[in-house]
Amino acid sequence: VSSTESAPRAFGESGRRDTRQRRLLREHLAESEAFVSAQQLHDEVRATGDKVGLATVYRTLQAMTEAGEVDVIRSDEGEALYRNCGLTVEVDGPAVESWARDAAEEHGFTEVTHVVELFGRCSSCSQH
Amino acid sequence: VSSTESAPRAFGESGRRDTRQRRLLREHLAESEAFVSAQQLHDEVRATGDKVGLATVYRTLQAMTEAGEVDVIRSDEGEALYRNCGLTVEVDGPAVESWARDAAEEHGFTEVTHVVELFGRCSSCSQH
DNA sequence: CTGAGTGCAAAACCTTTGCATGATA
DNA sequence: TATCATGCAAAGGTTTTGCACTCAG
């Protein structure tokens, strides 16, 4: 009989192996409050003298995104911007939904749909 | 004395000359309810047998966007998606703002910001 | 030792732009 | 006719991918 056990990991699920590059990217991402693009992150790391390939930055960010360790948004120019943590919580908003409908109909709109997004620092990240 | 008068135009402000290509794009955009990318629009037009250059599609959509005739959003993949009309109305939302703050803090978040977007059919478009 | 991770360069995207040609007002 | 608009191809940017090499486990 064979089984696939997974031990707890100190560095998340974004990659199985703990490499120098991933440590660097994790550190830089943790330090910066703001959203950064892959290229910016690449520049930041190299600015400190460390060397990481751009492709690795993209691959790592993609993995971290899939693992839910980072948050992604799109800039108006279509660039992907990443931020540490990525904790997402569903919030129910009956209040907002009725507000949205009323506000839209007030201006003569029908077939209304809405998007509400909240951004903030989670309690865990605030402790750092 | 010289002056630059601008006469009223039947086809909007997105371009000065009324060309075959712009008519085509306007028609196709008006027909489709959904958001479409520049490439999709290009494909749609050519699928009907008409011929338009891709660059023209991009240039026309850009002009129509600046003129406020269409609405633009970014897909999750970073592609620009366009939709007819583009009428935008500012809505004030004191109610939403307090709701957003409360909802976020309920989950332990601080430094909260929020984005609320409403989409719908405006009364003018609904008449078509 | 073995396979996941890396770097590099090439390629795949979407989008913009330069320039000669074509069409509108 | 005088421009403005178009088409094409080239170039711009971000992101992905193929492949040989490296390194963590």
Side-chain angles (χ1 to χ4, degrees), chain A residues 48-106:
Chain A
T48 66
D50 300 306
K51 202 158 169 285
V52 182
L54 182 56
T56 298
V57 177
Y58 276 105
R59 281 191 279 238
T60 302
L61 286 174
Q62 189 174 293
M64 293 177 79
T65 300
E66 283 164 10
E69 294 173 29
V70 298
D71 206 16
V72 203
I73 59 173
R74 286 277 170 183
S75 72
D76 285 345
E77 290 75 37
E79 211 179 6
L81 302 178
Y82 303 85
R83 189 173 62 174
N84 195 44
C85 190
L87 169 65
T88 61
V89 178
E90 288 287 323
V91 295
D92 57 343
V96 187
E97 288 175 20
S98 60
W99 170 87
R101 186 168 25 74
D102 294 347
E105 289 179 354
E106 220 169 82

Short mmCIF file of all heavy atoms in Angstrom, two decimals, chain A residues 48-106:
data_model
loop_
_atom_site.label_atom_id
_atom_site.label_comp_id
_atom_site.label_asym_id
_atom_site.label_seq_id
_atom_site.Cartn_x
_atom_site.Cartn_y
_atom_site.Cartn_z
N THR A 48 18.73 45.03 -4.38
CA THR A 48 19.42 44.73 -3.12
C THR A 48 20.64 43.86 -3.36
O THR A 48 21.29 43.42 -2.43
CB THR A 48 18.48 44.00 -2.14
OG1 THR A 48 18.16 42.71 -2.68
CG2 THR A 48 17.20 44.78 -1.92
N GLY A 49 20.92 43.58 -4.62
CA GLY A 49 22.11 42.81 -4.94
C GLY A 49 21.84 41.34 -5.21
O GLY A 49 22.65 40.65 -5.80
N ASP A 50 20.68 40.87 -4.79
CA ASP A 50 20.35 39.46 -5.03
C ASP A 50 19.94 39.26 -6.48
O ASP A 50 19.46 40.17 -7.13
CB ASP A 50 19.22 39.05 -4.09
CG ASP A 50 19.62 39.20 -2.64
OD1 ASP A 50 20.66 38.64 -2.26
OD2 ASP A 50 18.90 39.91 -1.89
N LYS A 51 20.09 38.04 -6.93
CA LYS A 51 19.81 37.76 -8.33
C LYS A 51 18.69 36.73 -8.46
O LYS A 51 18.76 35.64 -7.91
CB LYS A 51 21.10 37.23 -9.00
CG LYS A 51 21.14 37.38 -10.50
CD LYS A 51 22.58 37.35 -11.02
CE LYS A 51 22.62 37.22 -12.54
NZ LYS A 51 22.29 35.86 -13.02
N VAL A 52 17.65 37.11 -9.19
CA VAL A 52 16.54 36.21 -9.46
C VAL A 52 16.08 36.42 -10.89
O VAL A 52 16.03 37.54 -11.37
CB VAL A 52 15.34 36.50 -8.51
CG1 VAL A 52 14.21 35.51 -8.77
CG2 VAL A 52 15.76 36.45 -7.07
N GLY A 53 15.76 35.34 -11.58
CA GLY A 53 15.29 35.45 -12.95
C GLY A 53 13.87 35.96 -13.00
O GLY A 53 13.06 35.67 -12.11
N LEU A 54 13.56 36.70 -14.04
CA LEU A 54 12.21 37.26 -14.16
C LEU A 54 11.19 36.14 -14.29
O LEU A 54 10.10 36.20 -13.71
CB LEU A 54 12.16 38.18 -15.38
CG LEU A 54 10.84 38.90 -15.63
CD1 LEU A 54 10.40 39.69 -14.42
CD2 LEU A 54 10.96 39.82 -16.84
N ALA A 55 11.52 35.11 -15.02
CA ALA A 55 10.58 34.00 -15.20
C ALA A 55 10.26 33.36 -13.85
O ALA A 55 9.12 32.95 -13.61
CB ALA A 55 11.17 32.97 -16.15
N THR A 56 11.25 33.28 -13.00
CA THR A 56 11.03 32.71 -11.68
C THR A 56 10.06 33.57 -10.87
O THR A 56 9.21 33.06 -10.14
CB THR A 56 12.36 32.58 -10.93
OG1 THR A 56 13.19 31.69 -11.66
CG2 THR A 56 12.15 32.04 -9.52
N VAL A 57 10.20 34.88 -11.00
CA VAL A 57 9.29 35.78 -10.30
C VAL A 57 7.86 35.52 -10.76
O VAL A 57 6.95 35.35 -9.94
CB VAL A 57 9.65 37.26 -10.56
CG1 VAL A 57 8.64 38.17 -9.88
CG2 VAL A 57 11.05 37.55 -10.06
N TYR A 58 7.66 35.43 -12.04
CA TYR A 58 6.32 35.16 -12.58
C TYR A 58 5.81 33.81 -12.09
O TYR A 58 4.67 33.68 -11.65
CB TYR A 58 6.34 35.19 -14.11
CG TYR A 58 6.19 36.58 -14.66
CD1 TYR A 58 7.29 37.25 -15.19
CD2 TYR A 58 4.97 37.23 -14.65
CE1 TYR A 58 7.16 38.54 -15.71
CE2 TYR A 58 4.82 38.51 -15.17
CZ TYR A 58 5.93 39.16 -15.69
OH TYR A 58 5.80 40.43 -16.19
N ARG A 59 6.66 32.79 -12.19
CA ARG A 59 6.21 31.45 -11.79
C ARG A 59 5.90 31.40 -10.30
O ARG A 59 4.92 30.79 -9.88
CB ARG A 59 7.28 30.42 -12.16
CG ARG A 59 7.24 30.07 -13.64
CD ARG A 59 8.10 28.87 -13.96
NE ARG A 59 9.51 29.22 -14.11
CZ ARG A 59 10.22 28.99 -15.21
NH1 ARG A 59 9.69 28.40 -16.25
NH2 ARG A 59 11.49 29.35 -15.27
N THR A 60 6.72 32.05 -9.49
CA THR A 60 6.50 32.03 -8.05
C THR A 60 5.23 32.78 -7.67
O THR A 60 4.43 32.30 -6.86
CB THR A 60 7.70 32.65 -7.32
OG1 THR A 60 8.86 31.90 -7.66
CG2 THR A 60 7.50 32.61 -5.82
N LEU A 61 5.04 33.95 -8.27
CA LEU A 61 3.84 34.72 -7.97
C LEU A 61 2.60 33.95 -8.38
O LEU A 61 1.57 33.97 -7.69
CB LEU A 61 3.88 36.07 -8.69
CG LEU A 61 4.84 37.09 -8.08
CD1 LEU A 61 4.92 38.33 -8.94
CD2 LEU A 61 4.37 37.46 -6.68
N GLN A 62 2.69 33.25 -9.49
CA GLN A 62 1.55 32.46 -9.95
C GLN A 62 1.24 31.35 -8.94
O GLN A 62 0.09 31.13 -8.58
CB GLN A 62 1.89 31.87 -11.31
CG GLN A 62 0.73 31.21 -12.00
CD GLN A 62 1.12 30.77 -13.41
OE1 GLN A 62 1.38 31.62 -14.27
NE2 GLN A 62 1.18 29.47 -13.64
N ALA A 63 2.30 30.70 -8.48
CA ALA A 63 2.11 29.63 -7.50
C ALA A 63 1.54 30.17 -6.20
O ALA A 63 0.64 29.58 -5.59
CB ALA A 63 3.45 28.95 -7.24
N MET A 64 2.06 31.31 -5.75
CA MET A 64 1.58 31.90 -4.50
C MET A 64 0.13 32.34 -4.63
O MET A 64 -0.63 32.28 -3.66
CB MET A 64 2.46 33.10 -4.11
CG MET A 64 3.88 32.70 -3.73
SD MET A 64 4.93 34.14 -3.36
CE MET A 64 4.39 34.53 -1.69
N THR A 65 -0.21 32.78 -5.81
CA THR A 65 -1.60 33.18 -6.04
C THR A 65 -2.52 31.97 -5.94
O THR A 65 -3.55 32.00 -5.26
CB THR A 65 -1.75 33.82 -7.43
OG1 THR A 65 -0.93 34.97 -7.52
CG2 THR A 65 -3.20 34.20 -7.69
N GLU A 66 -2.13 30.89 -6.61
CA GLU A 66 -2.96 29.69 -6.58
C GLU A 66 -3.06 29.13 -5.16
O GLU A 66 -4.06 28.54 -4.78
CB GLU A 66 -2.37 28.63 -7.53
CG GLU A 66 -2.68 28.93 -8.99
CD GLU A 66 -1.80 28.13 -9.93
OE1 GLU A 66 -1.10 27.22 -9.44
OE2 GLU A 66 -1.81 28.42 -11.14
N ALA A 67 -2.01 29.33 -4.38
CA ALA A 67 -2.00 28.85 -3.01
C ALA A 67 -2.75 29.80 -2.08
O ALA A 67 -2.92 29.52 -0.90
CB ALA A 67 -0.57 28.67 -2.53
N GLY A 68 -3.18 30.94 -2.62
CA GLY A 68 -3.92 31.89 -1.80
C GLY A 68 -3.04 32.70 -0.86
O GLY A 68 -3.54 33.32 0.08
N GLU A 69 -1.75 32.70 -1.12
CA GLU A 69 -0.84 33.45 -0.23
C GLU A 69 -0.76 34.91 -0.59
O GLU A 69 -0.33 35.73 0.21
CB GLU A 69 0.56 32.83 -0.28
CG GLU A 69 0.60 31.43 0.29
CD GLU A 69 1.95 30.78 0.07
OE1 GLU A 69 2.95 31.51 0.00
OE2 GLU A 69 1.99 29.54 -0.05
N VAL A 70 -1.11 35.24 -1.82
CA VAL A 70 -1.10 36.64 -2.24
C VAL A 70 -2.41 36.98 -2.91
O VAL A 70 -3.16 36.12 -3.33
CB VAL A 70 0.07 36.96 -3.20
CG1 VAL A 70 1.40 36.74 -2.53
CG2 VAL A 70 -0.06 36.16 -4.47
N ASP A 71 -2.62 38.27 -3.00
CA ASP A 71 -3.82 38.83 -3.57
C ASP A 71 -3.43 39.42 -4.93
O ASP A 71 -2.37 39.98 -5.07
CB ASP A 71 -4.29 39.96 -2.63
CG ASP A 71 -5.77 40.20 -2.74
OD1 ASP A 71 -6.47 39.33 -3.28
OD2 ASP A 71 -6.22 41.25 -2.27
N VAL A 72 -4.26 39.28 -5.92
CA VAL A 72 -3.97 39.84 -7.25
C VAL A 72 -5.06 40.79 -7.68
O VAL A 72 -6.24 40.51 -7.48
CB VAL A 72 -3.89 38.76 -8.33
CG1 VAL A 72 -3.06 39.26 -9.50
CG2 VAL A 72 -3.36 37.48 -7.78
N ILE A 73 -4.68 41.89 -8.28
CA ILE A 73 -5.64 42.78 -8.91
C ILE A 73 -5.06 43.18 -10.26
O ILE A 73 -3.89 42.90 -10.54
CB ILE A 73 -5.93 44.04 -8.08
CG1 ILE A 73 -4.63 44.83 -7.86
CG2 ILE A 73 -6.56 43.69 -6.76
CD1 ILE A 73 -4.86 46.17 -7.19
N ARG A 74 -5.86 43.81 -11.09
CA ARG A 74 -5.38 44.29 -12.38
C ARG A 74 -5.37 45.80 -12.36
O ARG A 74 -6.35 46.43 -11.97
CB ARG A 74 -6.30 43.83 -13.49
CG ARG A 74 -6.17 42.38 -13.84
CD ARG A 74 -5.03 42.13 -14.80
NE ARG A 74 -4.76 40.70 -14.95
CZ ARG A 74 -3.78 40.19 -15.67
NH1 ARG A 74 -2.95 41.00 -16.29
NH2 ARG A 74 -3.58 38.90 -15.74
N SER A 75 -4.27 46.39 -12.79
CA SER A 75 -4.24 47.84 -12.91
C SER A 75 -5.09 48.23 -14.11
O SER A 75 -5.46 47.38 -14.91
CB SER A 75 -2.81 48.33 -13.12
OG SER A 75 -2.37 48.00 -14.42
N ASP A 76 -5.37 49.52 -14.24
CA ASP A 76 -6.16 49.98 -15.38
C ASP A 76 -5.45 49.68 -16.69
O ASP A 76 -6.07 49.56 -17.74
CB ASP A 76 -6.43 51.49 -15.26
CG ASP A 76 -7.47 51.78 -14.21
OD1 ASP A 76 -8.17 50.83 -13.80
OD2 ASP A 76 -7.58 52.93 -13.79
N GLU A 77 -4.14 49.55 -16.62
CA GLU A 77 -3.36 49.28 -17.83
C GLU A 77 -3.27 47.79 -18.12
O GLU A 77 -2.63 47.38 -19.08
CB GLU A 77 -1.95 49.86 -17.70
CG GLU A 77 -1.91 51.39 -17.73
CD GLU A 77 -2.39 51.98 -16.42
OE1 GLU A 77 -2.11 51.39 -15.37
OE2 GLU A 77 -3.08 53.01 -16.45
N GLY A 78 -3.88 46.99 -17.25
CA GLY A 78 -3.89 45.55 -17.51
C GLY A 78 -2.74 44.78 -16.89
O GLY A 78 -2.60 43.58 -17.12
N GLU A 79 -1.94 45.47 -16.10
CA GLU A 79 -0.81 44.81 -15.45
C GLU A 79 -1.30 44.10 -14.18
O GLU A 79 -2.15 44.62 -13.48
CB GLU A 79 0.23 45.88 -15.07
CG GLU A 79 1.65 45.39 -15.09
CD GLU A 79 2.61 46.52 -14.72
OE1 GLU A 79 2.15 47.62 -14.35
OE2 GLU A 79 3.83 46.30 -14.80
N ALA A 80 -0.74 42.93 -13.92
CA ALA A 80 -1.12 42.20 -12.71
C ALA A 80 -0.33 42.75 -11.53
O ALA A 80 0.89 42.88 -11.58
CB ALA A 80 -0.85 40.72 -12.88
N LEU A 81 -1.04 43.08 -10.44
CA LEU A 81 -0.40 43.61 -9.24
C LEU A 81 -0.64 42.66 -8.07
O LEU A 81 -1.76 42.21 -7.87
CB LEU A 81 -0.96 45.00 -8.92
CG LEU A 81 -0.81 46.04 -10.03
CD1 LEU A 81 -1.44 47.36 -9.62
CD2 LEU A 81 0.66 46.23 -10.38
N TYR A 82 0.41 42.39 -7.33
CA TYR A 82 0.33 41.41 -6.26
C TYR A 82 0.56 42.04 -4.90
O TYR A 82 1.29 42.99 -4.76
CB TYR A 82 1.39 40.32 -6.48
CG TYR A 82 1.27 39.63 -7.81
CD1 TYR A 82 1.85 40.18 -8.95
CD2 TYR A 82 0.56 38.43 -7.95
CE1 TYR A 82 1.74 39.55 -10.19
CE2 TYR A 82 0.44 37.80 -9.17
CZ TYR A 82 1.04 38.37 -10.29
OH TYR A 82 0.92 37.75 -11.49
N ARG A 83 -0.07 41.42 -3.87
CA ARG A 83 0.14 41.89 -2.50
C ARG A 83 0.13 40.72 -1.55
O ARG A 83 -0.58 39.74 -1.74
CB ARG A 83 -0.92 42.91 -2.10
CG ARG A 83 -0.60 43.58 -0.79
CD ARG A 83 -1.56 44.71 -0.49
NE ARG A 83 -2.92 44.24 -0.37
CZ ARG A 83 -3.93 45.01 -0.01
NH1 ARG A 83 -3.73 46.30 0.22
NH2 ARG A 83 -5.13 44.51 0.09
N ASN A 84 0.89 40.86 -0.53
CA ASN A 84 1.05 39.81 0.47
C ASN A 84 -0.26 39.44 1.15
O ASN A 84 -1.18 40.21 1.24
CB ASN A 84 2.03 40.29 1.55
CG ASN A 84 2.52 39.14 2.39
OD1 ASN A 84 2.84 38.08 1.85
ND2 ASN A 84 2.56 39.34 3.68
N CYS A 85 -0.28 38.23 1.66
CA CYS A 85 -1.39 37.69 2.45
C CYS A 85 -2.46 37.07 1.60
O CYS A 85 -2.53 35.87 1.45
CB CYS A 85 -2.02 38.73 3.38
SG CYS A 85 -3.17 37.96 4.54
N GLY A 86 -3.30 37.87 1.02
CA GLY A 86 -4.32 37.31 0.15
C GLY A 86 -5.47 36.64 0.87
O GLY A 86 -6.29 35.98 0.26
N LEU A 87 -5.53 36.80 2.18
CA LEU A 87 -6.65 36.24 2.93
C LEU A 87 -7.95 36.85 2.42
O LEU A 87 -8.10 38.06 2.32
CB LEU A 87 -6.50 36.55 4.43
CG LEU A 87 -7.73 36.24 5.29
CD1 LEU A 87 -8.02 34.75 5.31
CD2 LEU A 87 -7.55 36.78 6.69
N THR A 88 -8.89 36.02 2.03
CA THR A 88 -10.17 36.55 1.58
C THR A 88 -11.28 35.99 2.45
O THR A 88 -11.23 34.86 2.89
CB THR A 88 -10.46 36.16 0.13
OG1 THR A 88 -10.52 34.74 0.02
CG2 THR A 88 -9.38 36.69 -0.79
N VAL A 89 -12.23 36.83 2.73
CA VAL A 89 -13.37 36.45 3.56
C VAL A 89 -14.66 36.83 2.84
O VAL A 89 -14.77 37.93 2.30
CB VAL A 89 -13.31 37.20 4.92
CG1 VAL A 89 -14.52 36.85 5.77
CG2 VAL A 89 -12.02 36.87 5.65
N GLU A 90 -15.57 35.90 2.79
CA GLU A 90 -16.87 36.20 2.20
C GLU A 90 -17.67 37.06 3.16
O GLU A 90 -17.71 36.78 4.36
CB GLU A 90 -17.65 34.90 1.94
CG GLU A 90 -17.11 34.07 0.80
CD GLU A 90 -17.44 34.69 -0.55
OE1 GLU A 90 -18.54 35.25 -0.70
OE2 GLU A 90 -16.57 34.61 -1.44
N VAL A 91 -18.27 38.09 2.65
CA VAL A 91 -19.15 38.89 3.49
C VAL A 91 -20.53 38.92 2.85
O VAL A 91 -20.66 39.04 1.64
CB VAL A 91 -18.62 40.33 3.66
CG1 VAL A 91 -17.31 40.32 4.41
CG2 VAL A 91 -18.44 40.99 2.31
N ASP A 92 -21.54 38.78 3.66
CA ASP A 92 -22.88 38.85 3.11
C ASP A 92 -23.37 40.28 3.20
O ASP A 92 -23.14 40.98 4.18
CB ASP A 92 -23.83 37.90 3.86
CG ASP A 92 -23.84 38.22 5.34
OD1 ASP A 92 -22.91 38.91 5.79
OD2 ASP A 92 -24.78 37.80 6.03
N GLY A 93 -24.00 40.74 2.17
CA GLY A 93 -24.39 42.15 2.14
C GLY A 93 -25.80 42.39 1.68
O GLY A 93 -25.99 43.07 0.67
N PRO A 94 -26.80 41.89 2.40
CA PRO A 94 -28.17 42.20 1.99
C PRO A 94 -28.41 43.70 1.96
O PRO A 94 -29.10 44.22 1.08
CB PRO A 94 -29.02 41.51 3.06
CG PRO A 94 -28.10 41.31 4.22
CD PRO A 94 -26.76 41.10 3.64
N ALA A 95 -27.75 44.39 2.89
CA ALA A 95 -27.92 45.84 2.96
C ALA A 95 -27.39 46.50 1.70
O ALA A 95 -28.02 47.38 1.12
CB ALA A 95 -27.20 46.39 4.19
N VAL A 96 -26.21 46.07 1.28
CA VAL A 96 -25.62 46.67 0.09
C VAL A 96 -26.42 46.36 -1.15
O VAL A 96 -26.58 47.19 -2.04
CB VAL A 96 -24.19 46.15 -0.13
CG1 VAL A 96 -23.53 46.90 -1.26
CG2 VAL A 96 -23.39 46.30 1.13
N GLU A 97 -26.92 45.14 -1.20
CA GLU A 97 -27.63 44.75 -2.40
C GLU A 97 -28.89 45.58 -2.63
O GLU A 97 -29.17 46.00 -3.75
CB GLU A 97 -27.96 43.26 -2.34
CG GLU A 97 -26.70 42.43 -2.52
CD GLU A 97 -26.93 40.94 -2.35
OE1 GLU A 97 -28.09 40.52 -2.47
OE2 GLU A 97 -25.94 40.22 -2.12
N SER A 98 -29.61 45.81 -1.57
CA SER A 98 -30.81 46.63 -1.75
C SER A 98 -30.41 48.07 -2.02
O SER A 98 -31.04 48.75 -2.83
CB SER A 98 -31.69 46.55 -0.50
OG SER A 98 -30.99 47.02 0.63
N TRP A 99 -29.32 48.51 -1.39
CA TRP A 99 -28.85 49.86 -1.65
C TRP A 99 -28.47 50.02 -3.12
O TRP A 99 -28.82 50.99 -3.77
CB TRP A 99 -27.64 50.18 -0.76
CG TRP A 99 -26.96 51.47 -1.17
CD1 TRP A 99 -27.28 52.72 -0.75
CD2 TRP A 99 -25.90 51.61 -2.11
NE1 TRP A 99 -26.49 53.64 -1.36
CE2 TRP A 99 -25.62 52.99 -2.20
CE3 TRP A 99 -25.15 50.72 -2.87
CZ2 TRP A 99 -24.63 53.49 -3.04
CZ3 TRP A 99 -24.16 51.21 -3.72
CH2 TRP A 99 -23.91 52.58 -3.79
N ALA A 100 -27.74 49.01 -3.63
CA ALA A 100 -27.28 49.07 -5.02
C ALA A 100 -28.46 49.17 -5.98
O ALA A 100 -28.46 49.99 -6.90
CB ALA A 100 -26.44 47.83 -5.34
N ARG A 101 -29.46 48.34 -5.74
CA ARG A 101 -30.62 48.34 -6.62
C ARG A 101 -31.32 49.69 -6.59
O ARG A 101 -31.62 50.28 -7.62
CB ARG A 101 -31.58 47.23 -6.17
CG ARG A 101 -32.77 47.05 -7.10
CD ARG A 101 -33.55 45.76 -6.81
NE ARG A 101 -33.41 45.26 -5.44
CZ ARG A 101 -33.98 45.80 -4.38
NH1 ARG A 101 -34.73 46.87 -4.51
NH2 ARG A 101 -33.80 45.26 -3.19
N ASP A 102 -31.54 50.21 -5.38
CA ASP A 102 -32.20 51.50 -5.26
C ASP A 102 -31.42 52.62 -5.93
O ASP A 102 -31.97 53.42 -6.67
CB ASP A 102 -32.41 51.84 -3.77
CG ASP A 102 -33.38 50.87 -3.13
OD1 ASP A 102 -34.06 50.12 -3.87
OD2 ASP A 102 -33.46 50.85 -1.88
N ALA A 103 -30.11 52.64 -5.66
CA ALA A 103 -29.28 53.71 -6.19
C ALA A 103 -29.30 53.70 -7.72
O ALA A 103 -29.35 54.75 -8.37
CB ALA A 103 -27.84 53.56 -5.69
N ALA A 104 -29.25 52.50 -8.29
CA ALA A 104 -29.22 52.38 -9.74
C ALA A 104 -30.55 52.80 -10.35
O ALA A 104 -30.62 53.53 -11.34
CB ALA A 104 -28.87 50.95 -10.14
N GLU A 105 -31.64 52.33 -9.76
CA GLU A 105 -32.95 52.64 -10.32
C GLU A 105 -33.27 54.12 -10.20
O GLU A 105 -34.01 54.66 -11.01
CB GLU A 105 -34.02 51.78 -9.64
CG GLU A 105 -33.91 50.32 -10.05
CD GLU A 105 -34.94 49.44 -9.36
OE1 GLU A 105 -35.66 49.97 -8.48
OE2 GLU A 105 -35.01 48.25 -9.69
N GLU A 106 -32.69 54.73 -9.20
CA GLU A 106 -32.88 56.16 -9.03
C GLU A 106 -32.40 56.93 -10.25
O GLU A 106 -32.88 58.00 -10.57
CB GLU A 106 -32.07 56.60 -7.80
CG GLU A 106 -32.77 57.60 -6.91
CD GLU A 106 -31.99 57.74 -5.61
OE1 GLU A 106 -30.99 58.49 -5.62
OE2 GLU A 106 -32.36 57.08 -4.62
#
